[in-house]
Amino acid sequence: MSYPDKVTIKEVGPRDGLQNEKEILDAKNKIEWINLLSQSGLSYIEITSFVHPKWIPQLSDAKKVAKEISRKPGVTYAALVPNMHGLEAALEANVDEVSVFMSASESHNLKNINKSIGDTFPVLEKVVQTAKKEHKMVRGYVSTVFGCPYEGRVAIDQVLKVCDSLFDMGISDISLGDTIGVANPRQVEEMLNILLKRYEASLLALHFHDTRGMALANIIKSLDYGITTFDSSIGGLGGCPYAPGASGNVATDDLVHMLEKMGIETGIDLDKLLKAASYIQETLKKPLQSHLMSMYNQTIT
Ligand code: HMG
Ligand code: MG
């Protein structure tokens, strides 16, 4: 078994994490938190999303947050955009990179972005073309790759069809979402055996939610297949409000800890990361669920 020397971690807490919190934080707190995350050595932070505020009220201050954070050189500050309306706002706030998103299953796509898969393609194509004209990289998320809360198992052909269409539009890489945390290592193996015949490992990232505690096992399996980019959320925050049962992403702190113990470089300073985790835990007034933060909380109580 050979592991890579280095892994890139994309922090999605300020977006995937906060979109699933009942409490709506002040922009000031989000900005302070993102600034702390920037100091931890993370090279990529998804700071917000430019979606409809009625759909995700937690992130309705996207423009303010994007404009007022301190941008650390070398860090990519990215945001999710569902359509041209969102892209225009993201460009105005000058985010470094945007991510488009859709699902491999019809029902989740409809519940999440109010369109069929077929009707989503032209919307995203225009977003990708316009963003690229503005010299922005565009990442693509595909949700419900390993299972859909409404349809159950999703056909691999459906995943391939959506990935092919996104790559044809000109996106730079795809993040494969286990939206409701149902994937297991055998399923990851089956999926990657097929996907890697078609796409380079460097073009794929894995985005595991940890609903059933299988995310780190799935990451080990993905490493085995040469995947070197993973999305995670500090403290294990996260979830999609339009996917019933979806809970937090794999925790960035647990992931960094595991990789560093395995001798795999992440470039992230765990102490500084835990400072950022403590900040958001105090601000949200609830203990974070990651293993490392649970240990930390036991030592201070
Ligand atoms: P819609 O209602 O179909 O939008 O929503 P529309 O195009 O029909 O427009 C209706 C009104 O909304 C119009 O205003 C538009 O201007 C406005 P009106 O003319 O009526 O005054 N509008 C907007 N306003 C602000 N920002 C916008 C925007 N777009 C239109 N961007 C829409 C369609 C996509 C906007 C809506 O369904 C939406 O915002 N959905 C987002 C849901 C979401 O954020 N889900 C969570 C993120 S995905 C996720 O978590 C999964 C992921 O983590 C990977 C994984 O885990 O699998 C990425
Ligand atoms: Mg997610």
Side-chain angles (χ1 to χ4, degrees):
M1 206 173 288
S2 76
Y3 293 120
D5 297 332
K6 276 188 195 162
V7 154
T8 300
I9 293 182
K10 298 196 170 183
E11 171 63 40
V12 296
R15 193 277 304 169
D16 206 327
L18 294 188
Q19 76 183 15
N20 208 37
E21 287 301 316
K22 278 202 192 83
E23 177 127 7
I24 301 186
L25 296 189
D26 285 349
K28 175 180 135 299
N29 293 121
K30 295 178 185 176
I31 293 163
E32 271 182 47
W33 181 37
I34 294 167
N35 290 345
L36 285 171
L37 288 168
S38 294
Q39 296 309 316
S40 72
L42 282 160
S43 58
Y44 188 106
I45 308 175
E46 195 173 69
I47 53 171
T48 189
S49 65
F50 291 87
V51 295
H52 197 297
K54 272 200 196 135
W55 287 64
I56 305 281
Q58 295 89 334
L59 302 178
S60 61
D61 53 7
K63 238 186 227 175
K64 182 172 171 65
V65 169
K67 283 187 174 169
E68 294 185 14
I69 53 171
S70 306
R71 308 244 180 143
K72 187 169 180 245
V75 179
T76 299
Y77 296 94
L80 223 61
V81 298
N83 52 20
M84 283 302 293
H85 195 299
L87 177 68
E88 279 154 17
L91 290 174
E92 206 190 304
N94 196 25
V95 297
D96 298 323
E97 183 174 317
V98 293
S99 297
V100 293
F101 59 105
M102 62 183 297
S103 313
S105 57
E106 280 292 349
S107 321
H108 184 257
N109 204 68
L110 192 62
K111 296 266 190 200
N112 198 37
I113 51 174
N114 207 23
K115 280 195 171 43
S116 68
I117 288 178
D119 287 346
T120 304
F121 290 137
V123 173
L124 299 191
E125 185 155 24
K126 185 152 185 228
V127 170
V128 176
Q129 281 169 2
T130 312
K132 289 183 75 174
K133 267 193 212 132
E134 297 294 326
H135 310 291
K136 301 288 178 192
M137 299 262 278
V138 187
R139 180 178 212 225
Y141 276 106
V142 183
S143 289
T144 63
V145 165
F146 298 93
C148 169
Y150 307 103
E151 296 176 21
R153 195 90 184 216
V154 176
I156 179 92
D157 283 351
Q158 194 54 32
V159 175
L160 294 175
K161 180 182 143 193
V162 173
C163 291
D164 280 351
S165 302
L166 288 172
F167 277 129
D168 287 347
M169 289 176 202
I171 59 156
S172 56
D173 56 325
I174 284 184
S175 174
L176 301 162
D178 180 18
T179 315
I180 51 168
V182 285
N184 64 68
R186 175 60 61 84
Q187 199 187 356
V188 170
E189 191 176 310
E190 286 163 6
M191 185 68 70
L192 289 178
N193 267 328
I194 296 172
L195 288 174
L196 291 173
K197 288 203 180 89
R198 218 156 164 125
Y199 319 115
E200 298 276 328
S202 61
L203 299 180
L204 300 178
L206 269 299
H207 177 109
F208 291 113
H209 284 260
D210 199 27
T211 318
R212 291 164 183 79
M214 293 194 285
L216 287 178
N218 290 331
I219 288 175
I220 295 286
K221 180 55 79 181
S222 312
L223 286 171
D224 223 6
Y225 274 77
I227 302 292
T228 55
T229 303
F230 298 95
D231 302 345
S232 61
S233 172
I234 195 160
L237 292 167
C240 175
Y242 298 98
S247 66
N249 295 77
V250 64
T252 311
D253 33 329
D254 291 340
L255 179 57
V256 169
H257 175 256
M258 180 184 83
L259 293 172
E260 295 284 342
K261 288 282 174 200
M262 290 170 72
I264 300 172
E265 208 182 298
T266 62
I268 296 168
D269 179 323
L270 196 50
D271 288 337
K272 290 186 178 162
L273 194 67
L274 291 174
K275 255 190 208 149
S278 303
Y279 176 85
I280 196 63
Q281 162 170 282
E282 278 160 33
T283 310
L284 288 168
K285 299 185 201 70
K286 67 169 211 188
L288 296 180
Q289 298 300 311
S290 64
H291 292 284
L292 285 202
M293 282 306 287
S294 301
M295 270 174 56
Y296 170 85
N297 289 334
Q298 274 171 19
T299 61
I300 56 166
T301 49

